[in-house]
Amino acid sequence: MNPYVLAILLSSLGLGTTLTFASSHWLLAWMGLEINTLAIIPLMAQHHHPRAVEATTKYFLTQATAAAMIMFASTTNAWITGEWDMNNMSSPVASTMIITALALKIGLAPMHFWMPEVLQGLDLLTGLILSTWQKLAPFALIIQTAQTVDPALLTALGITSTLVGGWGGLNQTQLRKILAYSSIAHMGWMIIILQYAPQLTLVALGTYIFMTSAAFLTLKTSAATKINTLSMIWSKSPILTTTTALVLLSLGGLPPLTGFMPKWLILQELAKQNLPITATIMALAALLSLYFYLRLCYAMTLTISPNTTNSITPWRTQTTQSSLPLTLSTTIALGLLPMTPAILMLAT
């Protein structure tokens, strides 16, 4: 892609998200979401491949549906209350429609069906943008409107997402689909705690972004898109294989890695709020996700010689990718747990 066009598209992505962050008016927020969607579509379709075009079309249709729902709900709210302000969502119908539309935008279950299919059709860097940056603007709106939404709806969305994210990833062999289901499960953890401690939602979102970035950048460096490709990357870069296994365990939420922090804090808060059953369901749903991360770790580290593998040993070619983003995101994805008190103090 032409570097000038790429610069315009990436700056439009930044502009759309910033506009949504800064707005307290529904029309401006909607406009930011639309700029975001329109800026990522050329990036998704840049590889002229039927899968990429199909993924782009699916993404466009779901995002357009969600945007139309947001516009309809905010107009309904303005009709009832007489103002477009986000903080004045007094109509329960409008606020339920808004949260449903935003759930569709970020891929919360049961509105998640587009997410694995779309991610599977993209290259890894565009998939990274879709899994991290594209979540920020809808999440800003969800956090602002969550207090007016029925708590039972948020709890249902959260529990369904963690269960679907866990179950869906079990049978997958494609790494991008596994990361899509991982994303759905993490979104569920963020939504479940939103009504009780919004600062923990932000902590969980931040750690999720760094862990997912580390996973995607590693796969990009090793050019792996299937599980059986992973089984041979140890011969190409043993140190990268070690850190990748740790990043996947961090995504699963194992101590002493960064991914344990948000899960621990969220379960602690749910217990404080007198919701032991919800906390137990969430902890058990996390085990489902952990299983498929362990499966990837097994494929990478325990199927090496003298076992026979079904994939070709990769060439040790030099990569042109900058190693700094990968190093930074991996370090943060692995070593942030001792910083928990400082992060909590900053978040509250």
Side-chain angles (χ1 to χ4, degrees), residues 10-315:
L10 291 176
S11 55
S12 298
L13 270 179
L15 172 70
T17 305
T18 314
L19 193 60
T20 306
F21 278 178
S23 61
S24 59
H25 190 289
W26 274 116
L27 270 181
L28 268 179
W30 174 82
M31 205 179 299
L33 292 172
E34 284 299 286
I35 291 170
N36 234 345
T37 305
L38 293 175
I40 201 172
I41 279 171
L43 292 173
M44 294 168 85
Q46 64 181 319
H47 301 287
H48 300 293
H49 187 274
R51 287 304 302 269
V53 175
E54 180 191 337
T56 311
T57 311
K58 284 177 180 172
Y59 182 74
F60 175 72
L61 290 173
T62 50
Q63 298 298 305
T65 307
M69 278 177 74
I70 290 170
M71 180 54 93
F72 180 59
S74 52
T75 311
T76 308
N77 187 62
W79 184 268
I80 295 165
T81 61
E83 53 185 56
W84 288 85
D85 194 39
M86 276 184 202
N87 302 318
N88 189 18
M89 294 289 292
S90 53
S91 164
V93 176
S95 52
T96 306
M97 278 175 64
I98 290 268
I99 210 80
T100 310
L102 291 169
L104 176 61
K105 267 205 173 289
I106 61 171
L108 277 173
M111 283 77 77
H112 67 284
F113 294 99
W114 62 271
M115 181 87 183
E117 297 297 324
V118 167
L119 211 55
Q120 179 57 30
L122 304 179
D123 70 309
L124 289 162
L125 283 182
T126 317
L128 169 62
I129 295 172
L130 184 70
S131 301
T132 55
W133 186 259
Q134 290 296 91
K135 307 283 188 202
L136 294 177
F139 243 102
L141 298 181
I142 288 174
I143 289 168
Q144 285 185 65
T145 53
Q147 301 309 320
T148 61
V149 179
D150 181 14
L153 176 63
L154 288 175
T155 308
L157 283 172
I159 290 175
T160 316
S161 296
T162 41
L163 286 170
V164 166
W167 280 119
L170 292 180
N171 205 24
Q172 301 296 336
T173 56
Q174 298 285 343
L175 297 176
R176 283 166 294 188
K177 280 195 175 178
I178 287 176
L179 284 169
Y181 282 110
S182 153
S183 170
I184 293 163
H186 278 91
M187 292 294 131
W189 279 89
M190 292 170 216
I191 287 292
I192 198 90
I193 201 64
L194 185 54
Q195 54 201 323
Y196 308 112
Q199 69 275 15
L200 291 187
T201 298
L202 292 175
V203 169
L205 182 61
T207 51
Y208 158 77
I209 284 172
F210 283 114
M211 292 186 296
T212 307
S213 301
F216 269 104
L217 291 170
T218 307
L219 297 180
K220 179 81 173 71
T221 306
S222 51
T225 54
K226 290 197 284 289
I227 290 183
N228 65 356
T229 320
L230 278 184
S231 61
M232 292 306 286
I233 66 165
W234 64 273
S235 62
K236 186 179 180 183
S237 44
I239 295 171
L240 189 65
T241 309
T242 312
T243 56
T244 309
L246 289 172
V247 164
L248 289 167
L249 293 177
S250 183
L251 272 166
L254 284 190
L257 305 165
T258 305
F260 176 61
M261 174 178 58
K263 287 189 167 61
W264 166 40
L265 294 173
I266 288 169
L267 289 176
Q268 186 184 15
E269 185 62 34
L270 286 172
K272 271 188 202 167
Q273 296 288 344
N274 235 352
L275 296 164
I277 296 170
T278 309
T280 309
I281 293 170
M282 295 299 284
L284 291 173
L287 292 177
L288 290 170
S289 300
L290 184 61
Y291 174 77
F292 60 76
Y293 297 125
L294 284 172
R295 199 167 139 229
L296 296 182
C297 292
Y298 173 79
M300 270 191 299
T301 55
L302 296 171
T303 53
I304 56 178
S305 178
N307 295 330
T308 52
T309 50
N310 297 326
S311 59
I312 304 160
T313 308
W315 288 95

